[in-house]
């Protein structure tokens, strides 16, 4: 018994000593300006939360326009139901009610929250890595991110985030085009994921992935590059009194986000149309939904991205690559702007400093 007491006492003293040493080490790191691992993990979590909140808020705010855009992208050109932004929104309201305007938004948020969280966090990490590498290669320790370097960081972030959540985007597209008269109904994201996997195989969950990767490079890349570069330019030049005490107002940041969204979506939009159409391939009920209440039963078939481009242009003209551009433009400008401002606001509330350095 005495020996056990000695062992227990020794073990307890050892644990206390270890704890004290760890606390001392953390205090030393804090004095030296080095963040402890626990602080770093908390900072990462806060960044992810900020990105997720930004994505959920921005997409819910423009959910009706998002659904209309997808319906315009895939509808049968010989059986037009949605003819313009205002008429399309009125038609959805009349035929499906208020809930119809937000159909697929739950699935969209389930996708966009992790997507946005990963995207914003990946951008900061990629930007830090690229800047570190650039400084090493040039030998200039004071170098800062140029628009081109930001474009590269944004492209990396977009590819990582899109690839991580692509299956959810794929089924979200199918859920969104369903109507009350559709012959088959996905009951939700989980049911849709399981059904596609069972009926069409794992690869079906990544249909349209290639044009998405190609499209996300200019889209997300330009979003971040234009937004960050505009902010830097405004802070440095201080035009029209837009900068006060070195800080941009919420309105000015919204305008920067709007400009970034406009540039990015205009360049990448045709690839978004092709991606959405490829996602419908292999869905046995797609002909009835996409081509108009079952009037045309021919299956949707594309052998790949190039074939989808060719068939779309051949049968519907070049303008078909920009179907839904108007509601998307109306949607994407406030969406991107709200996302950027919400992200920065949430990080301020959580006390996370958005710092990109070596």
């Amino acid at each position: 018994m005495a020996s056990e007491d000695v062992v227990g006492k020794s073990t307890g003293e050892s644990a206390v000593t270890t704890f004290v040493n760890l606390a001392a080490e953390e205090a030393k790191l804090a004095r030296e300006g080095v963040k402890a691992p626990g602080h770093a993990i908390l900072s990462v979590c806060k960044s992810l939360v900020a990105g997720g909140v930004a994505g959920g808020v921005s997409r819910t705010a423009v959910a009706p326009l998002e659904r209309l855009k997808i319906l315009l992208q895939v509808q049968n050109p010989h059986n037009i139901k949605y003819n313009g932004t205002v008429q399309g929104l009125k038609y959805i309201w009349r035929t499906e009610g208020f809930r119809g305007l937000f159909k697929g938004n739950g699935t969209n948020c389930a996708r966009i929250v992790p997507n946005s969280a990963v995207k914003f966090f990946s951008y900061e990490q990629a930007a830090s890595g690229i800047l570190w590498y650039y400084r090493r290669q040039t030998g200039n320790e004071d170098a800062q991110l140029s628009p081109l370097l930001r474009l590269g960081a944004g492209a990396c972030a977009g590819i990582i985030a899109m690839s991580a959540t692509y299956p959810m985007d794929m089924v979200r597209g199918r859920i969104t085009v369903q109507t009350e008269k559709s012959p088959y109904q996905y009951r939700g994201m989980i049911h849709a994921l399981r059904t596609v996997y069972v009926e069409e195989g794992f690869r079906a969950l990544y249909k349209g992935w290639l044009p998405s990767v190609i499209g996300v490079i200019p889209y997300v890349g330009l979003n971040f590059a234009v937004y960050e570069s505009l902010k830097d330019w405004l802070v440095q030049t201080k035009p029209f009194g837009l900068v006060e005490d070195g800080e941009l107002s919420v309105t000015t940041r919204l305008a920067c986000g709007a400009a970034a969204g406009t540039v990015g979506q205009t360049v990448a939009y045709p690839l978004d149309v092709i991606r959405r159409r490829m996602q419908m391939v292999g869905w046995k009920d797609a002909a009835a939904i996409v081509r108009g209440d079952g009037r045309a039963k021919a299956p949707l078939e594309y052998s790949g991205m190039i074939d989808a481009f060719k068939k779309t242009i051949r049968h519907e003209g070049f303008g078909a690559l920009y179907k839904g551009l108007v509601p998307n433009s109306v949607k994407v400008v406030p969406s991107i702007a709200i996302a950027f401002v919400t992200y920065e606001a949430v990080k301020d509330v959580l006390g996370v400093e958005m710092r990109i350095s070596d």
Side-chain angles (χ1 to χ4, degrees), residues 1 24 45 57 114-116 130 163 197 215 223 238 273 278 281 283:
M1 181 66 70
C45 291
V57 170
N115 178 283
S116 182
I130 288 173
S163 298
Y197 176 76
N223 279 346
K238 300 180 176 60
V273 173
M278 290 179 69
V281 175
W283 186 13

Side-chain angles (χ1 to χ4, degrees), residues 92-255:
I92 295 173
W93 176 276
R94 187 172 65 253
T95 57
E96 301 180 58
F98 178 78
R99 292 183 64 183
L101 294 171
F102 289 87
K103 182 168 285 184
N105 186 56
T107 306
N108 193 25
C109 286
R111 175 192 69 90
I112 202 63
V113 167
N115 178 283
S116 182
V118 173
K119 180 173 65 180
F120 277 101
F121 177 71
S122 298
Y123 173 75
E124 292 188 11
Q125 299 305 306
S128 294
I130 288 173
L131 182 59
W132 174 83
Y133 181 77
Y134 179 74
R135 287 175 174 176
R136 286 199 61 182
Q137 292 298 308
T138 60
N140 181 7
E141 293 300 320
D142 297 322
Q144 299 298 319
L145 285 170
S146 66
L148 184 60
L149 295 179
R150 287 196 175 103
L151 179 64
C156 291
I159 292 172
I160 292 169
M162 183 275 299
S163 298
T165 59
Y166 190 80
M168 288 185 282
D169 179 70
M170 189 271 185
V171 299
R172 193 261 304 194
R174 292 192 178 186
I175 291 172
T176 300
V177 302
Q178 289 183 154
T179 66
E180 299 300 326
K181 297 180 180 179
S182 300
Y184 189 84
Q185 293 287 326
Y186 291 120
R187 296 191 295 271
M189 184 180 68
I190 301 300
H191 178 250
L193 286 168
R194 183 170 59 247
T195 303
V196 172
Y197 176 76
V198 171
E199 294 185 355
E200 302 173 46
F202 177 78
R203 291 184 63 184
L205 294 172
Y206 282 88
K207 283 179 178 176
W209 179 82
L210 181 59
S212 296
V213 169
I214 297 173
V216 83
I217 293 173
Y219 180 65
V220 179
L222 286 170
N223 279 346
F224 279 106
V226 173
Y227 180 73
E228 296 292 343
S229 298
L230 266 178
K231 285 203 311 177
D232 284 353
W233 178 77
L234 288 171
V235 170
Q236 291 171 8
T237 59
K238 300 180 176 60
F240 313 115
L242 294 174
V243 181
E244 296 180 2
D245 300 325
E247 293 290 332
L248 298 177
S249 66
V250 172
T251 303
T252 304
R253 282 185 285 166
L254 281 170

Side-chain angles (χ1 to χ4, degrees), residues 321-341:
L321 297 176
Y322 285 90
K323 280 186 174 181
L325 179 63
V326 173
N328 191 64
S329 298
V330 175
K331 174 211 73 162
V332 80
V333 171
S335 177
I336 297 296
I338 291 170
F340 276 118
V341 173

Side-chain angles (χ1 to χ4, degrees), residues 21 26 41-42 53 65 88 99 139 160 185 194 271:
N21 288 339
E26 186 168 349
I41 293 172
L42 182 60
V53 172
L65 291 166
R99 292 183 64 183
I160 292 169
Q185 293 287 326
R194 183 170 59 247
L271 286 156

